[in-house]
């Protein structure tokens, strides 16, 4: 249980000993910080929307909901593969685990492709950060999230590489940490999609 | 001390402390000028005192960072410094250039200084914190390049660790972003826009990497906690720092003529800047609680914990106070900013340099730690300076709140100077607290000269 | 059902619950997309959308991120985040 080396002292008294956090404490601290960042962004969006309901509703209608929904499917499918990758490594099958990571990476790649086409269509219309507050949020939020998808893909690629070269004693803990991060990226999009693309 | 060449750090540290003392003296002078307008006029006008106060701060911290790097890098790399001679040469160059610059500020009017130092060749002077004459700026670049060459070569020939990598990243970033001090567009919006690339990206970007690396190094040494654990935290902290700090630059772009989205970006990301500082505090306390050895240098441990807490309060909490655009609309450029600046610089950077000095200096003088007597004195100085700084910050915050209220929020706003008169009580209290800070500093310097009976064994 | 998954001993297959969660996530995404396509609007639709997002988030956190087996404090942090964010958004919508 590698997380033990990072555990904060004496806060675990209430939890039964067999409960454990999948992944390293450091990555969870990081995830919390990320969630906080997105929470601030989401709440700011909500407040700004409340002040300009018409502007937000008009802007939202111009967004490509199909692209948004497709990207949701790609992300949750990627997460599903990552879950399988963790299970396979626990089951002593690093090869199968690496394969599932590749599939997850492919989903991430698909997300990027869809996003690029979506942005291209918007920028072709001359839409920018300064168009209005709605588009400012649309571009900022989705771009900030996109950076997280990219970082998640880098992490998955590194994990894939270390699985391919043969797992060591810390590989499972690393995989769990990377998986938790990838799921966090998914979790954020699950809020972002209905909020920015659908809710009116 | 495992490597002979680490000894060069001693010179840098001594210079740093001497300049620190100078900074505090000029701080007291200008603190008094707040309430006694023509004190020392015309010999030292307020604007000159302010320039000397802030420039000395930057220079002594740079001396501290360089000394810290010269001490840390050989030990982390497990090899002697690439060139001890170069390190000593650059030390004298930097010290003499720095001293001449200060003399220039004090001896001749600023415009004359600008004329004699070639400011018309490339106009870089006259901007807050970057007031240095062109030749000084060029000198800083040369010293920085030589210094970076020296330590980078040392790292390359030796062991590469996460701590030395982060430190190198921070120091290279420091040099790269200083280059924007040479870029001075005529357009005032662009001027300010890129001015912050030096000023903000130093203190809320790359300097934090240096802070993290120095702190991690001292914590490894005094706690004996596994390197892997400390490195993991270091990576988390620097990632958070860079994401929040770099985009957080936007909190300076609210009112200078940049597009509106900066108000959102700046507010949102800089609101998150306390997080890495909070992580640093948790990290420091966590490591000390799980220490595997009782290091005889308790003073260094105290500084390490202190820098975590004070950086979080000063940079994190006091930064957050006025970082949101709707709040900053009222507080911009008031004493609230001064309050934040004082505690943030002390908590984050002054304290981490003092922490490094506290850890390394006894070892360079042939002992693991100072005598008990010297350490007790040093801890007294820690508490005096730290508590004084807390009160300076509180008084300035109170002054700032009143200022915002009387001068900006009020239905019948008062003129600037009238308000300054009304809040002079807080300036007096700040000045007296500054004297306490100076006493703390004097005790700190004295602690180097206290001999003790029970000297710990040589390291 | 908890006990085997908690032990560090290898459990070869992906837990069945993960597949169920995946199916649920797909279905809920379909619902969100459908509501968007029909142009449905109003507080009731907002409640359905935020409710679906909340449930999806809880499913991802519980099953995928394995918080179901994690110390309660961590469950509370992530679930609290979900409730806080969806709650704030709903409140801002109604405001």
């Amino acid at each position: 249980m590698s997380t033990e080396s990072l555990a904060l002292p004496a806060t675990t008294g209430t939890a039964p000993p067999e409960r454990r956090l999948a992944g390293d404490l450091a990555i969870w601290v990081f995830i919390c910080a990320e969630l906080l960042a997105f929470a601030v962004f989401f709440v700011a969006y909500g407040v700004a929307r409340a002040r300009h309901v018409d502007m937000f509703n008009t802007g939202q209608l111009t967004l490509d909901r199909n692209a948004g929904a497709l990207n949701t499917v790609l992300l949750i499918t990627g997460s599903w593969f990552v879950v399988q990758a963790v299970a396979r490594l626990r089951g002593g099958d690093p090869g199968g685990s690496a394969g599932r990571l590749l599939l997850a990476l492919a989903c991430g790649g698909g997300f990027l492709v869809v996003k690029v086409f979506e942005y291209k269509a918007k920028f072709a219309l001359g839409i920018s950060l300064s168009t209005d507050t709605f588009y400012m949020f649309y571009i900022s939020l989705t771009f900030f999230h996109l950076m997280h998808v990219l970082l998640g893909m880098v992490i998955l690629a590194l994990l894939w590489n270390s699985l391919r070269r043969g797992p060591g004693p810390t590989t499972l803990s690393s995989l769990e940490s990377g998986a938790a991060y990838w799921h966090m990226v998914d979790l954020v999009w699950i809020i972002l999609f209905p909020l920015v693309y659908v809710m009116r | 001390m495992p490597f002979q060449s680490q000894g060069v750090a001693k010179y840098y540290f001594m210079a740093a402390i001497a300049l620190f003392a100078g900074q505090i003296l000029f701080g007291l002078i200008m603190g008094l000028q707040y309430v006694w307008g023509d004190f020392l006029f015309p010999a030292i006008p307020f604007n000159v005192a302010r320039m000397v106060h802030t420039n000395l701060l930057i220079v002594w911290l740079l001396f501290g960072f360089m000394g810290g790097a010269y001490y840390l890098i050989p030990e982390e790399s497990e090899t002697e410094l690439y060139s001890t001679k170069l390190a000593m040469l650059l030390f004298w160059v930097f010290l003499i250039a720095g001293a001449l610059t200060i003399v220039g500020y004090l001896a001749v009017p600023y415009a004359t200084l600008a004329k004699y130092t070639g400011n018309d060749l490339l106009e870089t002077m006259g901007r807050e914190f970057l007031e240095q004459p062109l030749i000084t700026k060029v000198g800083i670049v040369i010293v920085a390049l030589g210094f970076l060459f020296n330590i980078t070569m040392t790292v390359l020939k030796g062991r590469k660790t996460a701590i030395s990598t982060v430190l190198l990243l921070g120091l290279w970033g420091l040099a790269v972003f200083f280059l924007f001090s040479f870029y001075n567009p005529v357009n005032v919006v662009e001027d300010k826009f890129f001015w912050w690339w030096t000023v903000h990206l130093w203190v809320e970007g790359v300097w934090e990497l240096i802070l993290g690396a120095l702190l991690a190094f001292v914590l490894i040494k005094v706690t004996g906690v596994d390197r892997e654990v400390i490195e993991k935290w270091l990576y988390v902290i620097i990632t958070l720092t860079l994401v929040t700090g770099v985009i957080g630059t936007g909190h300076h772009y609210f009112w200078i003529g940049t597009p509106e989205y900066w108000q959102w970006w700046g507010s949102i990301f800089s609101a998150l800047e306390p997080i890495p500082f909070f992580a640093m505090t948790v990290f420091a306390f966590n490591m000390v609680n799980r220490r595997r050895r009782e290091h005889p240098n308790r003073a260094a441990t105290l500084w390490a914990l202190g820098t975590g807490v004070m950086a979080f309060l000063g940079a994190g909490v006091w930064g957050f106070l006025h970082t949101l655009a709707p709040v900053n609309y009222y507080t911009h450029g008031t004493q609230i900013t001064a309050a934040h600046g004082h505690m943030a610089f002390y908590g984050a950077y002054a304290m981490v340099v003092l922490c490094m000095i506290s850890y390394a200096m006894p070892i360079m003088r042939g002992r693991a730690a100072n005598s008990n007597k010297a350490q007790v004195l040093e801890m007294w100085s820690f508490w005096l300076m730290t508590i004084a700084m807390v009160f300076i910050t509180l008084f300035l915050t109170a002054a700032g709140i009143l200022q915002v209220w009387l001068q900006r929020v009020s239905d019948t706003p008062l003129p600037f100077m009238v308000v300054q008169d009304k809040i002079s009580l807080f300036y007096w209290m700040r000045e007296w607290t500054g004297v306490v800070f100076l006493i703390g500093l004097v005790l700190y310097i004295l602690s180097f000269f206290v001999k003790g009976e029970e000297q710990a064994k040589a390291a | 059902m908890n006990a085997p998954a908690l032990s560090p001993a290898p459990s070869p297959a992906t837990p069945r619950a993960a597949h169920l969660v995946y199916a649920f996530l797909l279905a809920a995404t379909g619902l969100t997309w459908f509501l968007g396509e029909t142009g449905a609007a109003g507080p009731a639709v907002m409640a359905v959308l935020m409710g679906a997002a909340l449930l999806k988030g809880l499913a991802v956190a519980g099953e995928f991120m394995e918080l179901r087996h994690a110390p309660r404090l961590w469950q509370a942090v992530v679930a609290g985040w979900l409730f806080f964010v969806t709650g704030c958004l709903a409140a801002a919508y109604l405001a």
Side-chain angles (χ1 to χ4, degrees):
Chain A
M1 177 157 150
S2 63
T3 52
E4 191 174 82
S5 61
L6 260 177
L8 291 165
T11 51
T12 47
T14 53
E18 72 271 19
R19 291 194 163 269
R20 73 176 277 273
L21 195 58
D24 201 289
L25 179 67
I27 196 77
W28 280 93
V29 170
F30 193 63
I31 286 174
C32 285
E34 297 272 30
L35 287 178
L36 189 57
F38 276 105
V40 173
F41 236 130
F42 288 150
V43 172
Y45 178 97
V47 172
R49 183 188 179 280
R51 288 164 55 189
H52 310 280
V53 174
D54 289 338
M55 177 206 290
F56 274 62
N57 283 349
T58 317
Q60 190 178 65
L61 284 177
T62 66
L63 297 191
D64 188 346
R65 267 186 314 278
N66 293 334
L70 178 58
N71 267 347
T72 315
V73 172
L74 282 169
L75 279 187
I76 59 185
T77 308
S79 268
W80 182 51
F81 284 131
V82 168
V83 170
Q84 297 175 31
V86 174
R88 295 212 170 203
L89 187 62
R90 283 185 188 145
D93 175 14
S97 178
R100 296 291 149 154
L101 284 188
L102 271 190
L103 290 172
L105 273 170
C107 290
F111 184 95
L112 299 187
V113 171
V114 172
K115 206 84 230 159
V116 166
F117 278 102
E118 198 186 326
Y119 279 150
K120 246 178 93 176
K122 287 285 166 290
F123 295 154
L125 295 173
I127 286 168
S128 74
L129 282 170
S130 296
T131 304
D132 66 25
T133 310
F134 172 75
Y135 287 112
M136 194 287 293
F137 269 109
Y138 160 68
I139 297 172
S140 305
L141 260 174
T142 52
F143 187 77
F144 188 50
H145 178 266
L146 183 65
M147 290 296 104
H148 287 79
V149 175
L150 269 178
L151 177 59
M153 287 177 68
V154 170
I155 293 173
L156 291 188
L158 291 174
L159 290 167
W160 172 76
N161 190 41
S162 80
L163 281 173
R164 210 175 42 103
R165 283 182 307 156
T170 59
T171 310
L172 179 59
S173 166
S174 304
L175 180 61
E176 285 176 345
S177 304
Y181 186 81
W182 183 257
H183 296 314
M184 183 278 292
V185 175
D186 191 4
L187 190 66
V188 168
W189 184 262
I190 282 174
I191 307 279
L192 198 159
F193 172 57
L195 178 66
V196 178
Y197 287 76
V198 183
M199 200 169 94
R200 46 197 304 271
Chain B
M1 153 173 88
F3 297 95
Q4 277 307 313
S5 53
Q6 287 176 292
V8 295
K10 204 160 141 184
Y11 296 89
Y12 283 83
F13 288 157
M14 287 192 293
I17 294 172
L19 296 171
F20 183 22
Q23 187 217 346
I24 300 312
L25 285 178
F26 276 89
L28 286 173
I29 289 174
M30 61 185 288
L32 198 51
Q33 286 173 337
Y34 262 86
V35 282
W36 178 3
D38 53 3
F39 175 68
L40 289 185
F41 187 85
I44 307 176
F46 178 82
N47 63 320
V48 171
R50 182 174 193 274
M51 192 161 67
V52 174
H53 180 63
T54 54
N55 280 230
L56 277 176
L57 167 70
I58 297 166
V59 173
W60 86 259
L61 290 179
L62 290 181
F63 268 108
F65 290 163
M66 288 193 207
Y70 281 132
Y71 187 87
L72 183 155
I73 291 290
E75 194 158 331
E76 281 291 296
S77 307
E78 294 182 333
T79 174
E80 290 288 351
L81 205 57
Y82 180 77
S83 167
T84 315
K85 279 202 186 97
L86 179 61
M88 279 315 297
L89 175 74
L90 293 176
F91 168 76
W92 288 111
V93 171
F94 195 35
L95 187 64
I96 292 168
L100 284 179
T101 305
I102 300 295
V103 170
Y105 288 161
L106 293 169
V108 293
Y110 191 67
T112 317
L113 183 65
K115 207 172 99 189
Y116 288 149
T117 54
N119 191 50
D120 26 344
L121 294 177
L122 180 64
E123 292 175 340
T124 67
M125 290 175 71
R127 293 183 297 164
E128 198 181 3
F129 310 132
L130 304 180
E131 297 97 345
Q132 305 81 26
L134 181 63
I135 42 174
T136 308
K137 286 200 181 89
V138 172
I140 292 175
V141 171
I142 291 170
V143 169
L145 285 180
F147 160 74
L148 285 169
F149 169 75
N150 206 352
I151 59 166
T152 307
M153 293 305 284
T154 312
V155 171
L156 287 180
K157 76 183 165 109
R159 183 176 67 148
K160 286 137 197 91
T161 66
I163 291 182
S164 57
T165 311
V166 171
L167 184 64
L168 273 186
L169 195 65
L171 293 166
W172 274 102
L174 187 154
V176 168
F177 288 116
F178 183 69
L179 294 180
F180 286 94
S181 70
F182 291 94
Y183 182 56
N184 187 6
V186 178
N187 181 320
V188 180
V189 177
E190 286 179 18
D191 170 12
K192 276 289 176 191
F193 189 91
F194 289 108
W195 179 78
W196 285 114
W197 285 32
T198 301
V199 176
H200 173 94
L201 291 180
W202 266 21
V203 298
E204 291 172 57
V206 291
W207 282 28
E208 287 183 41
L209 307 191
I210 300 169
L211 160 67
L214 295 180
L215 190 61
F217 174 78
V218 174
L219 284 172
I220 284 186
K221 297 295 165 184
V222 298
T223 65
V225 170
D226 280 346
R227 180 175 284 277
E228 290 71 32
V229 179
I230 286 188
E231 287 178 348
K232 233 179 301 193
W233 277 97
L234 188 58
Y235 280 130
V236 168
I237 289 170
I238 65 153
T239 313
L240 292 172
T241 299
L242 288 178
V243 172
T244 60
V246 171
I247 311 178
T249 315
H251 66 187
H252 302 293
Y253 294 166
F254 294 162
W255 329 114
I256 64 169
T258 41
E260 191 191 335
Y261 58 83
W262 283 112
Q263 294 189 7
W264 291 101
W265 284 29
S267 298
I268 291 170
F269 284 95
S270 68
L272 300 164
E273 281 187 57
I275 298 174
F277 285 107
F278 183 70
M280 221 178 285
T281 311
V282 174
F283 161 64
F285 275 88
N286 194 3
M287 294 306 117
V288 171
N289 280 337
R290 300 170 52 219
R291 63 187 176 272
R292 296 215 177 133
R293 68 164 82 109
E294 292 298 334
H295 196 277
N297 193 340
R298 286 165 300 129
T301 314
L302 183 63
W303 284 110
L305 294 176
T307 194
V309 174
M310 295 300 288
F312 172 64
L313 286 177
V317 177
W318 255 262
F320 180 76
L321 272 185
H322 58 146
T323 202
L324 299 176
V327 177
N328 193 267
Y329 182 75
Y330 291 102
T331 61
H332 193 86
T334 62
Q335 293 299 325
I336 306 262
T337 313
H340 162 57
H342 278 84
M343 201 195 250
F345 265 106
Y346 175 71
Y349 300 122
M351 285 181 92
V352 80
V353 168
L354 297 180
C355 171
M356 193 71 199
I357 294 177
S358 177
Y359 170 74
M361 210 58 175
I363 297 174
M364 286 190 287
R365 297 167 87 197
R367 47 185 182 263
N370 287 327
S371 69
N372 193 47
K373 226 169 119 190
Q375 285 197 44
V376 168
L377 190 61
E378 188 180 341
M379 290 194 227
W380 267 97
S381 78
F382 168 93
W383 287 111
L384 274 180
M385 285 197 276
T386 304
I387 292 172
M389 187 48 81
V390 168
F391 277 96
I392 287 175
T393 307
L394 289 174
F395 292 143
L396 286 177
T397 308
I401 291 171
L402 269 178
Q403 185 187 2
V404 168
W405 196 258
L406 297 172
Q407 191 185 317
R408 297 186 176 170
V409 178
S410 161
D411 289 333
T412 50
L414 298 172
F416 177 83
M417 287 314 288
V418 175
V419 173
Q420 293 298 308
D421 267 348
K422 288 196 181 294
I423 58 182
S424 64
L425 174 66
F426 290 103
Y427 291 145
W428 274 114
M429 295 202 281
R430 183 266 300 267
E431 182 71 0
W432 287 115
T433 322
V435 173
V436 176
F437 190 96
L438 178 69
I439 296 170
L441 177 60
V442 170
L443 292 188
Y444 178 76
I445 294 170
L446 285 180
S447 77
F448 287 91
F449 301 98
V450 171
K451 301 257 187 305
E453 317 251 312
E454 4 125 33
Q455 295 224 334
K457 299 180 293 290
Chain C
M1 144 116 214
N2 276 0
L6 292 174
S7 67
S11 53
T14 305
R16 223 173 81 86
H19 297 308
L20 292 175
V21 162
Y22 177 59
F24 165 71
L25 292 173
L26 284 182
T29 305
L31 173 69
T32 305
W33 171 81
F34 175 75
L35 286 174
E37 286 302 292
T38 57
V45 178
M46 182 279 295
V48 172
L49 288 171
M50 280 297 108
L54 178 65
L55 290 178
K56 284 165 85 178
L58 288 173
V60 168
E63 192 58 39
F64 285 5
M65 297 171 106
E66 300 185 41
L67 284 172
R68 213 151 55 81
H69 313 300
R72 306 255 183 234
L73 177 70
W74 286 100
Q75 297 179 344
V77 167
V78 178
W81 180 83
L82 279 164
F83 278 103
F84 174 78
V85 169
T86 50
C88 283
L89 291 174
Y93 180 92
L94 296 172

